[in-house]
Amino acid sequence: MSDTHAQTVAFVRHTEIPPAPPPPGQTGAVKWMRENLFSGPFNTIMTLLGVYIVYTLVVGIFPWIANGVWGVDNIRECREITQGNGGACFAVIEQRWQQLLFGFEYPSSEYWRPTFAFVLLFVAVAPVLFLNLPRIMLAFTGIYPFLAYFLIWGGTILIPITALLGFVVGYFAFRRLERNSFAAGLFGAVAAALITWWVTGFLVQAAPNFLALPEVASRNMGGFMLNMILGTVCVSLSLPIGIALALGRQSHMPIIKWICVIFIEFIRGVPLITLLFVANVVLAYFFPPETSLDLILRVIIMITMFSSAYIAEVIRGGLAALPRGQYEAADSLGLDYAQATRLIIMPQALKISIPGIVNVAVGLFKDTTLVSVISMFDLVGMIRGPILSSTDWAGVYWELWAFASVLFFVVCYGISQYSQWLERKLQTGHR
Amino acid sequence: MTIATDPPKESFRLSMLINDTRYRSYTFQAIAVLALIVIFSILGNNLAQNLAAAGLNISYEFLGDPAGYDINQQPIPYDSQSTHMRASIVGALNTLIVAFLACVTATIFGVIAGVLRLSNNWIISKLMSLYVEAFRNVPVLIWIIIIFTVTANVFPQPRDFRGDNPTASMVGDAVAFTNRGVYVPKPVFEAGGWIVVAVFLASIAGIFLWRRYARKVLFDTGRIVPVFLPSLAIFFVPALLAYFILGRPIGLEYPELRGFNFQGGLTIRGSLIALWFALAIYTGAFIAENVRAGILAVSKGQTEAAAALGLRSGRIMNLVILPQALRVIIPPLISQYLNITKNSSLAIAVGYMDLTGTLGGITLNQTGRAIESVLLLMLFYLTFSLTISALMNVYNNSIKLKER
Amino acid sequence: MKTSVFIGALTVAGLSAGVAAAGTLDDVKARDMLNCGVTTGVPGFAEPDANGEWQGFDVAVCRAVAAAVLGDSTKVQFVPTTGKTRFTALASGEIDMLARNTTWTFSRDVDLKFEFIGINYYDGQGFMVPSALGVSSAKDLDGATVCIQTGTTTELNLADFFRANNISYEPVPIETGAEAVQQYLAGACDVYTTDASALAAQRANFETPGDHVLLPEIVSKEPLGPLVRHGDNEWGDVVRWTLNALITAEELGVTSENAEELAGGTDNPEVNRLLGTEGTLGEMLGLDAEWAKRAIMTGGNYGEIFSTNIGEETPIGLARGLNAQWTDGGLIYSPPFR
């Protein structure tokens, strides 16, 4: 060490050298490609392989789309035009898109109704999904189910209004009686709502055509609309049931706990399709002899049971993730179980569970295609049933399946992107 | 959960059933039990009434009757005169076969895609994202039908293999890809063939024992015992030795085109392939996400710490990253396996004769015993799921972080 | 959130269920709608057209019953059913009658407690092969791969036929007719088997129908007919005699065009009884006098229904064959109206 200091230095630079430009191989696109595509022999092989896959995909699909035939009436005309040049026959979608979207029995003059309900759905779910929107919009979310029912099923507007009225009356009864005890409030609310429905039922019967839209039976729902209806209705219904089941499973009362555990594990242990078989071929035996619930209702019941078991497990995860201190803090404030759950536990647990719930919802939405197996004409059922067996379009597979895949992809990808966005947002909130 | 501070009063009032937390839980449970009994008795009563009105009864005797239909894929001997019971067992075995194959394949696809999605290679990682998103966001039923259509339309027909100028030919004269399925050579066991198999199985067990031994030596003495090459040797050498010493007791039966179809050999039918690959690719996309999440969950500090200790990169992966990542990956992986098993019931869409196709399909159609068949069907899936879940819990407890 | 949809729908269902009475006939009248089970789509027999209207041979029977009972052939709710769901749908009361190509068999009649009210189509299970295969008899099919449309008695007949002839085959069961055809056309099976009528109907849709032949063997008897629940004989009678009215109308030369005119009175007493100008047949059924006339005027008599939906002028192109009137050497025969 001392040596180096002892020597005198011949030259010392006092100014900084201006930085030289990087070598050409280390900048811009070349550098990016070297680092990202050709960083080693293995990587190079993978890149070439990837390029080849992309090439085959493009070469395979491009002529199919570019030579696609529009505006003919049946597959024979299509075949005449394509003459084996690999073109698709998109005419089937052009001719049948209404059936694919709405089913073949929904009156075509009323298509605006489900479309309008679909658009309003975005307005209704927006305040639930994006917490920074004005809270007043939640009022519309509350009204939406009744509005959607009126739009899609039609009939007199009195039915949804009286149904809404029942809920409103029940709510006020709850607010009044809740001061005594939560249980009294709950039972009072249910009783008040039932009485309201019973009384207003006469009103509905008296004026069945008051402000009525043409009625559409649920049997006539079909196509992608049926998937949407089943998805939204069942997920919405299963939320409260799922919360109840999750709380029940966490409960200290052994009988309640075991009922919930058995229900959840049973439902999660069997495939949805067997539950649909139950809806289709078994459930009818369990209703009173003279009633006949139609198939869509039975399916809604079974899918709701199915999804509520899964949602219960997600919410249970949320409950378990809450720090123990939250429960203890609520207890120490003197809140009883109902108050603590409603005011402290659930809001936090639900917030943590939203991504999980959204995942369940996406999965469930995809699973609604299974109803095609039990002869319901949803999007897949429409394709497998009436369209592919019709004289005009027997033999057009790829176009129809591509159409169905794209529809599902757009919806599911959109929702899962939202879920990922939310997860990121919630994560930063916790760190 | 407020705790009563007052000493309990002797007198019991009825209102305490609602207002006193000590009694309230009994009230609620009593109500729940009562409600349950009422619901079940109403349902049971309705069922009895409806069945009586239709003149039907609940009976499982149909399981003993001849089924009368044929099943193409028979893991156990079966013909049309066998009972419905046997048809159901064949179906259940077929369910397990496709579930097992799909689980293995899905894991392979998922691990590859999950790792490659984290790759630095831009094209590869984007392609893998495309794969994952495309398959995750489209219903599995649509994928099953699409892949079934692909197998039927893309592969050549058996009759294309015929003639002087066949348009299709077998791969290496041993494997034929047709739109009815893939025909592969089938091993034929002669006397002593089973000994070779037994030796082979024993050597697989031997590999595990060797690994345990190597681990023990490593932990006890710090000496590193080679694992890979000895494992390879144990895997091949004894079985090959036994094979040749016993005079090649295992032959191969090659498929050949006779009549309408390839005969002989082992047939992997188109319906099995469609269901198998659709489930594998679909679930593989989900597993890829689990794998990616698992790898990302191991913090970078672990890698750096291991590197600081002087471990080579292979050992870092084996000894540090993987054990931690697996703890995150395995639980969702098992639930994906359960999903595969449950989704295999969609076999009905492609005519694969699994349990839903036999018991829940043709048997139900022919006997009209809807309630009994669906009940048995659910019972099978439930038993299977619960068994796997129970095993899963045992495993989870064994790998749980032992906190000190 | 959407509880109301559910509850609202429940209310609707409850209201409609509340008026249910004892007999199916009264139920149908009270509901003012006939629930009729059909297939999910067999060309010519029951399929929705581009406008969503159900068309076909089986559908016409439903419409005739609706016209007879309710006076309006459009008051039919068609409920698509699969092979699996049809019997439960009928047994549980979801549908009032099943007009789907369902074979009348002993066990369905006796064990499953249904009542077949007649036969509207005499069918048999046949085989279709590509003519390039050079097969002329089903007995040459040793080792063939056979596509089956599941859900009817097809699987059982097939197993019986191959066992009886001691030849082997490879069954490929497919759920829907469209998918079975797709597999067959792609060559994934050598033979396609189902009811001969459906084979002919589906072959008509092929790109080159001439390249496929139906083998001469018909391996089973498949009497297809509408069915109702066991034990409600009034309703069974209504459906049975509506079908018989269509058949008798053809025998007597009553068509959708001349029914109105003949209802003015003719010299033939049976025509008069059929059309309600003589006797009280309608009253005995619990209907009005003109029930049969409305049924006939809906889609015509049996012969007209046959020729407009599946006859030789249609793409399906089925000959009458066994389904000709008994007077023309067929099996279609109705008990007399008296």
Side-chain angles (χ1 to χ4, degrees):
Chain A
M1 271 248 182
S2 54
D3 286 352
T4 48
H5 276 280
Q7 281 173 359
T8 51
V9 181
F11 170 74
V12 174
R13 178 179 273 282
H14 295 286
T15 54
E16 200 179 338
I17 304 178
Q26 293 295 324
T27 52
V30 179
K31 172 175 186 258
W32 183 86
M33 279 174 64
R34 275 179 61 147
E35 277 186 0
N36 288 312
L37 299 180
F38 304 103
S39 59
F42 176 71
N43 233 336
T44 311
I45 294 171
M46 293 299 279
T47 304
L48 293 178
L49 200 69
V51 170
Y52 176 72
I53 293 173
V54 172
Y55 171 77
T56 0
L57 283 179
V58 170
V59 166
I61 294 174
F62 181 72
W64 186 70
I65 294 177
N67 294 333
V69 177
W70 297 85
V72 296
D73 280 335
N74 57 46
I75 187 169
R76 286 170 287 278
E77 293 175 28
C78 242
R79 285 181 180 140
E80 259 167 47
I81 297 177
T82 55
Q83 295 287 357
N85 67 3
C89 186
F90 294 116
V92 62
I93 292 162
E94 192 182 2
Q95 197 196 40
R96 298 286 181 111
W97 66 272
Q98 292 172 322
Q99 291 192 358
L100 288 168
L101 292 184
F102 300 104
F104 62 88
E105 285 185 294
Y106 205 91
S108 53
S109 56
E110 311 292 325
Y111 283 156
W112 65 271
R113 281 159 45 183
T115 316
F116 188 48
F118 177 68
V119 172
L120 288 184
L121 176 66
F122 287 99
V123 184
V125 296
V128 181
L129 299 183
F130 301 99
L131 300 170
N132 47 4
L133 286 173
R135 296 291 84 194
I136 190 73
M137 282 177 75
L138 277 174
F140 180 74
T141 311
I143 297 173
Y144 177 75
F146 307 94
L147 189 62
Y149 173 79
F150 176 61
L151 280 173
I152 295 176
W153 274 266
T156 169
I157 199 167
L158 288 176
I159 290 180
I161 285 185
T162 51
L164 180 61
L165 199 68
F167 279 102
V168 172
V169 169
Y171 177 71
F172 282 111
F174 175 77
R175 289 295 292 271
R176 275 195 86 83
L177 295 171
E178 188 209 359
R179 283 168 215 145
N180 300 335
S181 101
F182 179 77
L186 201 62
F187 290 121
V190 172
L194 286 180
I195 292 172
T196 318
W197 285 326
W198 186 67
V199 170
T200 51
F202 295 108
L203 187 67
V204 175
Q205 272 178 331
N209 291 319
F210 179 73
L211 273 183
L213 285 171
E215 211 168 312
V216 183
S218 28
R219 242 187 217 126
N220 298 345
M221 313 279 157
F224 196 57
M225 181 179 79
L226 181 60
N227 295 112
M228 293 294 296
I229 292 177
L230 287 177
T232 45
V233 170
C234 294
V235 169
S236 327
L237 285 177
S238 60
L239 268 178
I241 302 176
I243 292 174
L245 283 172
L247 288 174
R249 197 172 179 168
Q250 299 285 70
S251 156
H252 296 291
M253 297 180 247
I255 295 179
I256 304 252
K257 180 177 173 179
W258 280 106
I259 292 174
C260 293
V261 168
I262 290 174
F263 178 84
I264 293 174
E265 291 304 324
F266 175 77
I267 297 284
R268 280 161 42 93
V270 298
L272 177 58
I273 199 154
T274 59
L275 292 177
L276 291 177
F277 284 168
V278 169
N280 201 9
V281 298
V282 178
L283 207 57
Y285 287 115
F286 288 99
F287 288 121
E290 299 303 337
T291 53
S292 64
L293 283 184
D294 64 8
L295 185 56
I296 191 170
L297 267 177
R298 283 181 276 149
V299 165
I300 286 179
I301 293 175
M302 293 318 283
I303 298 187
T304 304
M305 282 169 70
F306 180 77
S307 65
S308 52
Y310 282 82
I311 286 186
E313 283 300 276
V314 170
I315 293 177
R316 188 169 72 112
L319 288 175
L322 271 196
R324 185 82 214 129
Q326 295 290 331
Y327 293 88
E328 286 161 1
D331 282 351
S332 66
L333 282 178
L335 300 179
D336 65 16
Y337 176 76
Q339 288 169 324
T341 306
R342 204 154 47 90
L343 302 173
I344 310 280
I345 307 301
M346 262 305 141
Q348 303 186 65
L350 280 183
K351 192 181 156 200
I352 305 175
S353 324
I354 288 181
I357 293 176
V358 172
N359 283 342
V360 171
V362 172
L364 188 84
F365 178 58
K366 286 186 294 176
D367 281 347
T368 57
T369 52
L370 265 58
V371 299
S372 66
V373 175
I374 54 164
S375 77
M376 286 175 83
F377 290 138
D378 74 320
L379 181 58
V380 173
M382 273 313 288
I383 295 175
R384 291 181 75 194
I387 296 185
L388 280 185
S389 71
S390 73
T391 320
D392 288 344
W393 299 113
V396 188
Y397 311 110
W398 308 112
E399 297 78 0
L400 292 165
W401 293 121
F403 181 73
S405 309
V406 167
L407 274 186
F408 273 101
F409 182 82
V410 167
V411 175
C412 296
Y413 186 71
I415 305 177
S416 68
Q417 287 301 302
Y418 162 78
S419 152
Q420 282 170 20
W421 170 82
L422 192 71
E423 238 165 304
R424 281 194 298 273
K425 207 178 120 176
L426 290 182
Q427 247 172 21
T428 51
H430 274 277
R431 275 190 186 163
Chain B
M1 293 348 95
T2 51
I3 293 165
T5 47
D6 296 337
K9 286 176 189 156
E10 293 305 311
S11 67
F12 175 79
R13 287 174 327 258
L14 213 56
S15 64
M16 283 167 77
L17 281 179
I18 294 280
N19 293 332
D20 192 315
T21 44
R22 284 169 303 168
Y23 300 113
R24 192 160 57 187
S25 68
Y26 295 108
T27 320
F28 282 152
Q29 296 190 58
I31 292 174
V33 170
L34 210 65
L36 214 61
I37 292 173
V38 168
I39 290 174
F40 273 101
S41 55
I42 288 179
L43 291 181
N45 185 35
N46 285 340
L47 177 66
Q49 269 190 31
N50 282 321
L51 288 179
L56 297 172
N57 58 346
I58 299 271
S59 150
Y60 287 91
E61 276 167 24
F62 72 95
L63 286 174
D65 297 339
Y69 58 91
D70 284 297
I71 299 177
N72 47 18
Q73 182 175 306
Q74 309 161 353
I76 55 172
Y78 169 88
D79 66 46
S80 61
Q81 293 309 297
S82 307
T83 60
H84 282 296
M85 183 72 191
R86 200 169 178 84
S88 308
I89 294 173
V90 171
L93 289 174
N94 282 343
T95 297
L96 296 182
I97 288 173
V98 74
F100 174 76
L101 290 173
C103 284
V104 172
T105 322
T107 313
I108 296 171
F109 286 167
V111 169
I112 292 176
V115 171
L116 288 185
R117 209 179 165 185
L118 292 172
S119 141
N120 291 329
N121 191 318
W122 184 82
I123 286 191
I124 292 295
S125 72
K126 285 295 165 219
L127 268 181
M128 288 305 140
S129 303
L130 181 73
Y131 156 67
V132 168
E133 295 299 346
F135 278 86
R136 260 159 48 106
N137 289 312
V138 174
V140 63
L141 181 61
I142 294 186
W143 282 123
I144 291 176
I145 297 175
I146 288 181
I147 293 185
F148 191 47
T149 314
V150 169
T151 50
N153 288 301
V154 170
F155 289 118
Q157 306 174 19
R159 72 180 87 124
D160 292 342
F161 290 79
R162 199 176 288 130
D164 295 331
N165 278 319
T167 48
S169 59
M170 293 169 76
V171 179
D173 274 340
V175 181
F177 289 90
T178 74
N179 62 358
R180 292 176 192 177
V182 177
Y183 297 82
V184 295
K186 182 168 81 175
V188 181
F189 294 100
E190 291 156 27
W194 293 109
I195 299 178
V196 178
V197 176
V199 169
F200 182 67
L201 291 178
S203 53
I204 288 180
I207 292 176
F208 278 98
L209 285 179
W210 178 259
R211 292 177 76 102
R212 270 181 94 148
Y213 165 75
R215 202 182 180 83
K216 190 167 152 29
V217 169
L218 177 70
F219 285 178
D220 287 351
T221 68
R223 195 161 55 87
I224 292 178
V225 181
V227 169
F228 182 71
L229 282 178
S231 298
L232 214 60
I234 299 174
F235 189 79
F236 283 112
V237 175
L240 282 178
L241 274 181
Y243 179 68
F244 284 108
I245 289 171
L246 291 168
R248 300 203 232 177
I250 303 180
L252 285 179
E253 182 191 301
Y254 290 97
E256 80 184 286
L257 193 58
R258 273 202 306 266
F260 294 99
N261 273 322
F262 282 91
Q263 307 280 343
L266 202 66
T267 314
I268 308 165
R269 285 175 184 75
S271 53
L272 171 61
I273 294 176
L275 190 63
W276 169 11
F277 275 92
L279 289 177
I281 297 178
Y282 178 78
T283 315
F286 287 87
I287 293 179
E289 284 298 272
N290 294 337
V291 168
R292 190 172 74 116
I295 293 174
L296 288 178
V298 182
S299 70
K300 204 167 167 57
Q302 296 283 330
T303 321
E304 288 163 355
L309 285 177
L311 293 181
R312 279 186 280 116
S313 63
R315 285 189 197 288
I316 295 178
M317 201 50 161
N318 272 332
L319 300 175
V320 180
I321 309 291
L322 271 187
Q324 300 187 63
L326 279 184
R327 194 169 285 135
V328 183
I329 294 171
I330 298 262
L333 194 65
I334 301 288
S335 79
Q336 292 299 345
Y337 289 167
L338 286 179
N339 279 344
I340 286 185
T341 314
K342 285 187 269 173
N343 280 338
S344 73
S345 58
L346 292 176
I348 200 161
V350 291
Y352 178 73
M353 296 304 276
D354 75 332
L355 189 66
T356 320
T358 56
L359 177 65
I362 303 181
T363 293
L364 197 162
N365 280 345
Q366 299 301 348
T367 61
R369 297 279 174 192
I371 300 177
E372 297 91 332
S373 301
V374 172
L375 205 64
L376 285 178
L377 192 62
M378 290 169 103
L379 214 60
F380 168 80
Y381 284 107
L382 194 63
T383 315
F384 185 79
S385 296
L386 291 183
T387 314
I388 299 287
S389 300
L391 293 177
M392 164 74 191
N393 281 341
V394 173
Y395 175 82
N396 263 353
N397 285 335
S398 76
I399 63 161
K400 202 153 69 180
L401 277 181
K402 313 268 188 312
E403 288 182 7
R404 268 167 274 209
Chain C
M1 286 191 304
K2 272 217 166 170
T3 331
S4 77
V5 176
F6 181 63
I7 288 174
L10 262 181
T11 330
V12 173
L15 284 178
S16 61
V19 292
T24 312
L25 181 58
D26 296 330
D27 282 355
V28 172
K29 280 181 179 169
R31 204 190 303 131
D32 203 21
M33 186 64 86
L34 172 72
N35 291 333
C36 191
V38 291
T39 64
T40 52
V42 174
F45 285 85
E47 64 170 343
D49 64 12
N51 302 322
E53 290 288 319
W54 284 91
Q55 302 290 350
F57 187 70
D58 288 334
V59 168
V61 177
C62 298
R63 292 202 188 281
V65 173
V69 176
L70 303 172
D72 184 348
S73 64
T74 59
K75 286 185 177 164
V76 191
Q77 177 74 56
F78 290 100
V79 180
T81 58
T82 63
K84 195 196 312 307
T85 65
R86 54 183 162 175
F87 295 131
T88 321
L90 184 58
S92 67
E94 190 186 348
I95 54 179
D96 304 312
M97 60 179 284
L98 181 64
R100 181 192 197 276
N101 46 3
T102 301
T103 309
W104 188 347
T105 66
F106 181 90
S107 63
R108 285 174 181 170
D109 199 336
V110 178
D111 187 30
L112 295 185
K113 312 281 187 218
F114 292 120
E115 183 153 338
F116 285 83
I117 57 90
I119 294 164
N120 69 339
Y121 193 90
Y122 288 91
D123 211 336
Q125 184 174 344
F127 296 96
M128 177 161 61
V129 293
S131 38
L133 222 51
V135 173
S136 59
S137 158
K139 294 191 175 121
D140 300 340
L141 291 174
D142 192 13
T145 302
V146 185
C147 276
I148 321 162
Q149 193 192 339
T150 60
T152 52
T153 41
T154 324
E155 299 96 332
L156 310 187
N157 296 329
L158 189 70
D160 286 351
F161 174 77
F162 279 87
R163 202 164 63 92
N165 290 293
N166 200 19
I167 48 183
S168 68
Y169 73 110
E170 161 108 13
V172 179
I174 311 276
E175 179 119 283
T176 68
E179 274 155 16
V181 166
Q182 175 194 342
Q183 292 290 308
Y184 170 73
L185 286 180
C189 35
D190 303 301
V191 194
Y192 174 34
T193 179
T194 186
D195 292 347
S197 61
L199 287 180
Q202 283 162 342
R203 184 174 66 164
N205 285 347
F206 289 0
E207 206 174 347
T208 50
D211 290 353
H212 303 269
V213 289
L214 301 186
L215 295 181
E217 281 90 350
I218 297 292
V219 299
S220 68
K221 288 189 289 185
E222 306 280 347
L224 308 179
L227 53 158
V228 296
R229 275 181 297 280
H230 206 87
D232 188 351
N233 293 348
E234 282 77 24
W235 175 243
D237 288 343
V238 168
V239 183
R240 172 178 300 116
W241 285 96
T242 307
L243 178 63
N244 284 339
L246 299 178
I247 294 172
T248 307
E250 190 192 11
E251 187 185 339
L252 298 177
V254 182
T255 66
S256 54
E257 274 139 33
N258 66 10
E260 192 71 57
E261 177 192 332
L262 291 177
T266 64
D267 302 337
N268 187 336
E270 186 154 19
V271 171
N272 292 348
R273 282 195 296 273
L274 178 67
L275 296 178
T277 46
E278 203 179 306
T280 54
L281 296 185
E283 199 181 309
M284 294 178 205
L285 273 180
L287 303 172
D288 61 356
E290 297 195 322
W291 64 281
K293 190 182 97 184
R294 284 194 306 269
I296 295 163
M297 289 182 61
T298 300
N301 59 35
Y302 181 85
E304 289 175 87
I305 293 173
F306 195 103
S307 62
T308 47
N309 289 303
I310 50 179
E312 275 165 339
E313 305 86 74
T314 64
I316 316 291
L318 292 173
R320 284 296 286 268
L322 285 180
N323 297 297
Q325 286 285 337
W326 63 285
T327 46
D328 300 335
L331 292 175
I332 295 293
Y333 184 101
S334 160
F337 272 70
R338 64 167 66 248

